[in-house]
Amino acid sequence: MQHEPPELTTSTHPYDQLTPEVILDALEEAGFAVSGRLFALNSYENRVYQIGLDDGPPVIAKFYRPGRWSEAAIREEHEFSLDLQQADIPVVAPMVMPGGDTLGQHQAFLFAVFPQRGGQAPDTSVTDTLYRLGQWLGQIHNLGALKSFNHRPGFDLIQGLEEHNALLVNGGWVPDDLRPAWDSLIPDLIAGCRQRMADAGTVDTLRIHGDCHAGNILCRDESMLFVDLDDCRTGPAVQDMWLLLNGEASERGAQLGELIEGYEMFRDFNRRERHLIEPLRCYRQIAHCAWLARRWEDPAFPRFFPWFAQPRFWSDQILALREQLSALQEPAISLPGQF
């Protein structure tokens, strides 16, 4: 099946209704004195804008993708963010709007407003940076363990892999000539993930950031800020660590060791969770493909990800997943001093 970009002239995606006038009306209705200045920021899952105000610095408005999260799930994100902020943990939490709420609604859209913050991604090759990130993650997880999410998802790795694969295969995304290679690879990947999860044993889960990569951390001078808790969920602590690792296995082991050293200033870390890193990486690779497939009816996706519908992308994915299978079959990364 050949997938083509949807016709822009006939698109009926909900975001088609999110015009500049609707955006500014939403903020005015929420009590903000908007100046009329509006600048779209890079965001695909939601729509995010810098909005100028007459009586202060600009703010950042996030309009949640209709149908993705329930109102209750979004409120849990806000509650978690505000609890972290109140505990003096550096996160960018939603503002309480003039009407007294952190969540607004205008027409079909739920939205939140955030203070504008600047900075750059941390250099995770610097030992001290990793140690400090570990300290903050330990404090985030201490607070995350105090209560549970009721409306946000957890990590069911195997079920998630099976569901994402079914969506890609049944939707005709994998080219027919590559299906034999894809179909033979997926069961091996799932089996490899099962084995590594068995090696990890029983692992505690708690409320976590969920998408803690360097792009979601802002650094300026000596300060750090964690941003974008849109994917916060219930999961293992290592999910908030492994995306900060890079390089060869020995380098990643040393980096994880620095994170854990900082982390354990505030909270114990189960070192067996390192066995989950490669299953989590495998899950992310396939989940990313499924995410693009689910969002293809949004005209922004064919425009910004045109390669997704091309056979070359899928042949590259098969090669990448074969490498991932090799990683699943290798021993878990070692921590410094571990033999």
Side-chain angles (χ1 to χ4, degrees):
M1 181 186 299
Q2 181 65 41
H3 291 271
E4 300 291 344
E7 291 291 336
L8 298 183
T9 56
T10 60
S11 173
T12 57
H13 193 272
Y15 276 140
D16 295 341
Q17 309 305 314
L18 191 61
T19 63
E21 292 77 13
V22 170
I23 296 164
L24 295 175
D25 285 349
L27 266 73
E28 282 191 327
E29 187 178 280
F32 292 93
V34 299
S35 68
R37 297 188 301 274
L38 180 153
F39 181 71
L41 303 178
N42 288 335
S43 179
Y44 304 111
E45 184 61 16
N46 304 297
R47 294 294 188 266
V48 182
Y49 305 89
Q50 177 183 296
I51 310 291
L53 301 181
D54 285 333
D55 54 357
V59 293
I60 305 300
K62 176 167 76 172
F63 288 79
Y64 289 90
R65 178 174 291 272
R68 184 189 181 214
W69 295 124
S70 67
E71 179 178 339
I74 295 173
R75 289 193 179 279
E76 284 192 329
E77 173 206 339
H78 289 194
E79 179 187 10
F80 188 30
S81 301
L82 291 167
D83 286 349
L84 291 169
Q85 185 180 70
Q86 188 171 11
D88 292 326
I89 296 170
V91 301
V92 178
M95 298 169 60
V96 177
M97 292 183 272
D101 200 349
T102 60
L103 187 63
Q105 180 165 5
H106 184 76
Q107 298 183 9
F109 300 103
L110 294 169
F111 67 94
V113 180
F114 299 80
Q116 185 182 46
R117 294 288 186 266
Q120 59 187 10
D123 182 355
T124 55
S125 67
V126 177
T127 298
D128 181 62
T129 298
L130 288 166
Y131 181 82
R132 290 170 59 213
L133 284 170
Q135 288 181 311
W136 286 123
L137 287 172
Q139 294 173 77
I140 289 172
H141 290 176
N142 271 341
L143 189 143
L146 294 180
K147 61 179 73 171
S148 300
F149 285 137
N150 295 314
H151 302 282
R152 300 190 71 84
F155 271 107
D156 190 327
L157 277 171
I158 302 303
Q159 181 179 337
L161 285 170
E162 292 172 341
E163 290 177 352
H164 294 324
N165 178 62
L167 181 146
L168 295 169
V169 169
N170 296 337
W173 290 98
V174 183
D176 290 343
D177 61 327
L178 296 175
R179 275 289 302 276
W182 180 273
D183 290 345
S184 65
L185 184 57
I186 295 298
D188 290 341
L189 287 166
I190 291 176
C193 288
R194 286 188 189 277
Q195 181 57 56
R196 296 299 285 273
M197 292 166 66
D199 293 340
T202 301
V203 171
D204 291 334
T205 59
L206 66 159
R207 294 182 300 169
I208 58 174
H209 183 289
D211 194 27
C212 190
H213 57 78
N216 277 338
I217 302 168
L218 299 176
C219 293
R220 172 171 286 181
D221 300 325
E222 294 299 313
S223 66
M224 292 181 173
L225 274 174
F226 291 82
V227 303
D228 194 6
L229 273 75
D230 193 66
D231 284 306
C232 66
R233 60 189 59 222
T234 301
V238 76
Q239 169 61 19
D240 279 351
M241 297 182 178
W242 76 267
L243 288 169
L244 299 169
L245 312 179
N246 57 77
E248 299 297 325
S250 60
E251 296 173 294
R252 287 184 280 118
Q255 292 162 8
L256 181 59
E258 287 295 332
L259 284 169
I260 292 172
E261 186 175 349
Y263 189 92
E264 291 196 324
M265 291 289 294
F266 296 91
R267 182 177 180 83
D268 289 339
F269 178 76
N270 176 4
R271 283 159 171 73
R272 296 190 67 83
E273 288 193 27
R274 73 188 195 283
H275 292 283
L276 297 179
I277 291 175
E278 296 308 328
L280 288 166
R281 192 190 313 278
C282 182
Y283 178 91
R284 190 175 179 89
Q285 286 177 268
I286 297 176
H288 181 71
C289 295
W291 173 67
L292 291 170
R294 287 189 181 94
R295 299 293 181 251
W296 201 246
E297 83 287 351
D298 181 340
F301 278 69
R303 185 164 66 249
F304 290 108
F305 307 101
W307 36 261
F308 179 66
Q310 302 302 316
R312 175 64 182 273
F313 169 79
W314 292 98
S315 61
D316 289 345
Q317 283 300 298
I318 289 171
L319 290 174
L321 289 172
R322 283 175 176 159
E323 292 177 357
Q324 184 57 37
L325 179 59
S326 296
L328 284 165
Q329 294 169 341
E330 294 172 358
I333 61 173
S334 298
L335 296 170
Q338 191 174 56
F339 300 97

